[in-house]
Amino acid sequence: MSANIKTTPLASLDWAEVLKQIQNFATSGSGKIEISGLAPLKGSAEAEQSFRRIVDASEILGTGTRPYFESLDLYESWHSRIKRKAVLKNLEIKDVRLFCLETLALKEAAESIESSHNEFCQELSSLLMKAEEPLSAIDQILTPGGEIRMDASETLYRLFKEKESLSKQVETTLDRLVKDHQMSSLLQDKYVTTRDGRWVLPIRGGMQHYMPGVIHGSSQTKQTVFMEPDSVIPLNNRLRQIETEIEDEIERLLAQLSEYLWNLTPAFENTQALLLSTDILLAKAQWSERIEGRPIQFSESEILLAEVKHPLLVLAGKPVVANTVRMTEDKRILLLSGPNAGGKTVLLKSIGLAAQMARCGLLISAGEGSTLPFFNEIHIGIGDSQSVGEELSTFAAHLKVLDQASKLTSTNNLILVDEICGSTDPEEGSALARSFIETFSQNKIFGVITSHLGPLKAGWKAEDPILNGSLEYDLESGRPTYQFLSGIPGDSLAIQTAKRVGVKESIWTRAIELLSPASRARLAGLEEIDQIKNDIQTLREHLKKDSQRAKNEKEKYDSLIQSFEKEKESLLIKAQKTAEKKIEDMIASAKAEETFKRHRSLQEIKTQLPEIIKSRPGTGNSALNSA
């Protein structure tokens, strides 16, 4: 199931495709619908809470299990009947059972996360209903396939057993009649069947008068009459009665179970809301993992997107060049220039999507340490905005978008404009574009604007909040590198491209002559700019090498620390054992010395005793005599 997503200005930012991809990770139709309406939150506090919950939900995914919530799409049908105190049917109770099973699976997944910092999992553990109890009640009556259990109650068990016994008796009686030689002339076929729930025999047409019993119909050709012999009528009567009693008992059990489930209505409603929000949250977490998403910090005065990427390109598994973009209150308007297909629009959309995703509480495809304002408005002018209904041309519609953007004020608003005033006369377009940009800068808003208009790239004062930027282009290969260069304007490279593809020299040299003095001067300065770009590229390569070397050193240092910690722990354990052994030896020695001292004292006492005491028993008289 895929919900329809309305076309909005955000669609030109690829927002509709982002929502569609997040929807694909939801397991319920209800979750997909909710995701299709994903909108900005009320403020940065709510967005930061959303970041934390997505990170918490990722821990559940880290267990290798993604709980499913297919029962949510069946919820309304049975829940509405429970609220009306209706007696649920087998199939509806089977759907309740699935709801309970998915609730248990989520609770087990949440409780498997031992982290005390995971508030989301703690919330699930405490707020989800105790689904074991209704599940046990259901399983006592229904099989997993939704059939009534024969032993659902003592009465039902007895009735089923009696029915089974009577059915065998009827079959045995009829089988005996079928095999009776005297009956062979009466039988159309030697088999037993049923009509209207009663066991009968197929008798030849016209021979029914010779068979005592009740007729229950005949074949279309009237050649066979189905008769119930008198000998089985009492048994069949009892069988029909038992079937009625079974149906009554089943109805009683279902009514009893339905009433029990009705008492759980509040618990079902609370748990349904939790399952739905969890399905959406896990979809966001899965999406975040695929795009290498991270939370950001909100700042009122700075845009810092470290290694930002277009999330849909990351999701598609394409090699993506990451760029770092920094804008401050002093440099709030980024003016991107450079040749066609150089990556300007992709970078523009990457920045815009990061801003939109962040204010909707989604992790963004950027590196750690990224910061953004929480934008109240993101005003977008990308693509063809013409309106036949309003009789607006492409350029007129473009101007209308720019005029609306000129009414925004403060740094909590962002404008994104692709090819500002680029589809009209270059001189007038440049003048209009500069006027709009000056207004944007006076209104203190953040903006990212792309343009091919040469006059826009120069003439700005150092104190103006305009930051020139470009996407690098390799002149030798003629291919873009998609690397963002901050502070350096880009060139459209029309004449350079003409040279590279082999256009006659007389044509492109004449084109240079036809340029205005300012354009010729700018073209002459391209070599200097290219040298600056090469220097930047060299510095970037050195920085990458230094960063990699630092990373390797850090890993080596961390490894040494781990080895040291292990060795320290081993030495401590060894020292502890040695100390324990020494203490035990000292205790043993002390005990021995104590015993020896006690023994020596006894000996001394003994030697000091009078002779009469020291004499052995039986020698006392001789001692006295000698005395």
Side-chain angles (χ1 to χ4, degrees), residues 58 144 155 234 238 285 315 318 344-345 381 441 446 449 469 540 598:
S58 296
T155 300
R238 178 54 186 157
L315 186 70
K318 296 180 179 179
K344 299 190 303 297
T345 303
S441 64
F446 278 103
I449 299 168
R540 184 187 293 136
R598 194 161 57 244

Side-chain angles (χ1 to χ4, degrees), residues 105-117:
L106 176 59
K107 194 166 189 176
E108 288 175 4
E111 290 175 348
S112 70
I113 306 300
E114 298 178 354
S115 172
S116 60
H117 302 294

Side-chain angles (χ1 to χ4, degrees), residues 449-598:
I449 299 168
T450 72
S451 177
H452 281 289
L453 298 171
L456 282 185
K457 304 171 192 177
W460 301 103
K461 298 175 184 176
E463 61 269 22
D464 289 334
I466 309 301
L467 174 65
N468 267 305
S470 60
L471 275 299
E472 193 178 51
Y473 206 84
D474 190 332
L475 289 174
E476 292 185 5
S477 67
R479 295 182 180 278
T481 65
Y482 306 111
Q483 288 285 352
F484 172 66
L485 299 174
S486 181
I488 298 178
D491 198 88
S492 296
L493 301 178
I495 293 177
Q496 286 85 344
T497 303
K499 288 181 183 180
R500 182 173 54 80
V501 299
V503 173
K504 285 173 59 177
E505 183 178 354
S506 59
I507 293 176
W508 58 258
T509 53
R510 176 57 181 159
I512 293 174
E513 293 172 1
L514 293 173
L515 291 173
S516 65
S519 296
R520 281 202 302 273
R522 183 167 47 81
L523 189 63
L526 280 178
E527 290 186 7
E528 183 179 349
I529 291 175
D530 288 339
Q531 183 58 50
I532 293 172
K533 288 181 178 179
N534 288 335
D535 291 343
I536 290 173
Q537 179 62 24
T538 302
L539 288 172
R540 184 187 293 136
E541 293 297 327
H542 284 224
L543 180 61
K544 282 184 179 178
K545 289 179 181 178
D546 290 343
S547 297
Q548 187 60 45
R549 189 159 42 245
K551 183 180 178 182
N552 293 339
E553 289 295 326
K554 184 178 182 300
E555 289 176 355
K556 182 179 177 182
Y557 178 70
D558 289 343
S559 177
L560 287 172
I561 289 176
Q562 289 179 2
S563 298
F564 173 74
E565 290 295 333
K566 287 181 180 178
E567 186 177 354
K568 183 177 75 173
E569 186 177 353
S570 176
L571 288 172
L572 284 172
I573 291 171
K574 187 176 180 181
Q576 182 181 356
K577 289 182 177 179
T578 302
E580 288 174 353
K581 180 70 167 60
K582 189 173 181 180
I583 290 169
E584 288 174 359
D585 290 345
M586 289 173 67
I587 291 170
S589 177
K591 286 181 178 178
E593 186 176 352
E594 183 72 21
T595 302
F596 176 73
K597 283 181 178 179
R598 194 161 57 244

Side-chain angles (χ1 to χ4, degrees), residues 1-25:
M1 176 178 180
S2 178
N4 293 325
I5 300 171
K6 294 180 180 179
T7 301
T8 66
L10 285 167
S12 60
L13 196 62
D14 301 330
W15 179 240
E17 184 61 26
V18 166
L19 293 182
K20 181 181 176 183
Q21 293 301 329
I22 300 175
Q23 281 180 307
N24 290 338
F25 292 109

Side-chain angles (χ1 to χ4, degrees), residues 427-444:
E427 185 176 355
E428 292 187 22
S430 297
L432 267 173
R434 184 177 287 271
S435 180
F436 273 117
I437 292 172
E438 287 176 353
T439 301
F440 299 153
S441 64
Q442 290 165 8
N443 290 345
K444 300 186 182 302

Side-chain angles (χ1 to χ4, degrees), residues 162-175 199 239:
E162 186 179 353
K163 180 182 176 181
E164 183 181 352
S165 175
L166 287 173
S167 296
K168 287 182 179 179
Q169 289 182 47
V170 172
E171 287 183 45
T172 301
T173 302
L174 293 179
D175 284 342
W199 290 96
L239 276 173

